[in-house]
Amino acid sequence: MPNLTDPKLISGNANKPLASAIARRMSMHRGMSVDLVDARVERFNDGEIFVEMYDNVRGEDVFIIQPTSNPANDNLMELLIMSDALRRSSAQRITAVIPYFGYARQDRRTKARTPITAKLVANMLVEAGVERILTMDLHAAQIQGFFDIPVDNLYASPIFALDIMTHFKDQMDDVMIVSPDVGGVARARELAKRINAPLSIVDKRREKPGEIAEMTVIGDVTGKTCIIVDDICDTAGTLCKAAEVLLENGAKEVHSYITHGVLSGPAVERVTNSVMKSLVITDTIQATDPVLACHNIRIVPTAPMFAQATLNIWNGTSVSSLFDVETLGPIYEGLYTV
């Protein structure tokens, strides 16, 4: 049944450019203006967060756009407080659009006396009044089971497939998809299937956390244009080392496609000085000035996909239809020609 209310978008401070881009895309798709709710999200002198909505949201279907990226705790608290403010303002339904879901790497107990923080965050979001989650490339798919509310997990691989088929269209026979570790094989295999490319794996063994003792390439990469695929790039140490190992094993050139460019600490410097020809990330996390200035980092937009997914949720239609390259092609028309 069609929704009788218009979708309302509100943005925190984590990634306002992405929120504005989603609003513009939704306006294009609907043929009528979709604006961000007029609100202020500010901090008191002691760091406490204050939220005030200036627009009426009573009975409205509201979407909060807020990745919980660095600073993760501040952005998470903004999201929780915005949800509480909307619930107390009688919003009909609150959907949290979390392009990058922070704390997702803490999804299990790896040793004694450690937390499962991803589950704690899930509980906090539900308690704050969130009734639905829309995110992209969760670090672990089972995190969806931490919620007792609907979770729509979008995938960047269809966007990456469009990008690869556009930028490597003259050398697709030489393209090989590479997983930087055994744990990411499923993600890499999915992209490899989409573009009909072979798959290789870089097996890494650690002596202790943060240190890579040994890397071994599983598969013949000789003369191949290798594309490393992963969901998160944090300090880029593993990524840059994997690129070196692939070239040592005969790869022609190395590129990387990473969904969430966390890129903390020395990451940008490492990428700049690495043997990688390019690092492609999405805009789920707002790019810093050093990232934007880096000559071998390129950003692909997710706003078209999030805008369509938001409209589909609002209309009560399929979100999984966005998992196919054929469906995304028209949405990204003008950006990619395959």
Side-chain angles (χ1 to χ4, degrees):
M1 184 175 179
N3 203 321
L4 298 179
T5 63
D6 290 331
K8 296 279 189 180
L9 306 183
I10 184 171
S11 173
N13 292 313
N15 197 338
K16 286 187 174 180
L18 177 59
S20 298
I22 292 172
R24 287 195 303 271
R25 278 282 173 170
M26 289 178 65
S27 300
M28 290 170 56
H29 294 329
R30 295 193 69 206
M32 57 189 299
S33 179
V34 177
D35 298 319
L36 295 174
V37 169
D38 188 13
R40 64 176 175 136
V41 182
E42 299 176 348
R43 281 165 177 73
F44 293 120
N45 291 333
D46 63 353
E48 285 187 9
I49 296 167
F50 176 75
V51 173
E52 182 180 6
M53 316 285 175
Y54 296 121
D55 293 346
N56 180 28
V57 295
R58 182 179 295 274
E60 300 285 1
D61 196 356
V62 185
F63 296 81
I64 308 172
I65 303 170
Q66 177 81 340
T68 50
S69 49
N70 185 37
N73 297 332
D74 286 355
N75 290 331
L76 175 59
M77 280 304 299
E78 279 189 14
L79 176 56
L80 295 172
I81 294 170
M82 283 190 289
S83 178
D84 184 72
L86 289 167
R87 181 178 59 175
R88 295 176 187 277
S89 302
S90 302
Q92 182 185 67
R93 182 177 66 172
I94 302 168
T95 300
V97 180
I98 312 174
Y100 170 70
F101 189 92
Y103 285 109
R105 285 175 282 185
Q106 299 184 45
D107 64 311
R108 63 194 183 281
R109 295 187 69 189
T110 55
K111 57 183 71 173
R113 297 176 295 280
T114 58
I116 305 179
T117 316
K119 172 58 177 170
L120 173 64
V121 171
N123 291 344
M124 292 166 67
L125 288 168
V126 173
E127 187 63 28
V130 173
E131 298 169 65
R132 191 179 195 101
I133 302 290
L134 175 62
T135 186
M136 175 172 281
D137 275 356
L138 280 171
H139 184 63
Q142 65 266 23
I143 292 175
Q144 295 174 79
F146 292 177
F147 291 89
D148 292 324
I149 57 176
V151 177
D152 292 303
N153 183 31
L154 301 176
Y155 300 101
S157 57
I159 307 174
F160 287 164
L162 286 171
D163 194 89
I164 291 169
M165 289 187 288
T166 298
H167 286 85
F168 298 91
K169 59 184 176 183
D170 296 329
Q171 48 182 318
M172 287 302 295
D173 292 340
D174 294 330
V175 167
M176 174 173 274
I177 300 300
V178 179
S179 173
D181 53 46
V182 175
V185 170
R187 182 180 297 106
R189 184 190 296 121
E190 181 187 4
L191 179 57
K193 284 182 178 179
R194 291 181 185 274
I195 63 173
N196 195 27
L199 177 66
S200 180
I201 304 167
V202 176
D203 179 33
K204 64 182 179 185
R205 301 182 184 182
R206 299 179 189 267
E207 290 185 345
K208 58 183 180 180
E211 291 188 6
I212 302 167
E214 181 184 356
M215 278 189 167
T216 306
V217 178
I218 303 173
D220 185 9
V221 298
T222 305
K224 296 292 187 180
T225 298
C226 290
I227 297 177
I228 302 173
V229 179
D230 209 351
D231 64 323
I232 296 174
C233 177
D234 193 344
T235 60
T238 299
L239 191 65
C240 294
K241 179 63 177 175
E244 293 174 8
V245 172
L246 288 167
L247 287 178
E248 290 170 2
N249 280 263
K252 182 168 63 176
E253 58 186 46
V254 180
H255 304 263
S256 296
Y257 279 73
I258 310 294
T259 306
H260 308 297
V262 176
L263 300 175
S264 56
V268 175
E269 182 181 357
R270 285 175 174 170
V271 172
T272 302
N273 299 325
S274 74
V275 297
M276 281 188 298
K277 285 289 188 71
S278 68
L279 167 61
V280 179
I281 59 175
T282 73
D283 58 357
T284 55
I285 297 173
Q286 185 173 349
T288 60
D289 290 339
V291 171
L292 294 173
C294 185
H295 72 279
N296 55 348
I297 295 180
R298 184 163 55 86
I299 302 173
V300 297
T302 58
M305 179 183 272
F306 275 110
Q308 190 61 56
T310 300
L311 285 172
N312 288 6
I313 291 171
W314 172 67
N315 281 318
T317 55
S318 171
V319 172
S320 61
S321 62
L322 299 176
F323 298 169
D324 296 325
V325 173
E326 293 77 11
T327 310
L328 275 188
I331 298 174
Y332 276 85
E333 191 172 7
L335 291 174
Y336 300 117
T337 54
V338 179

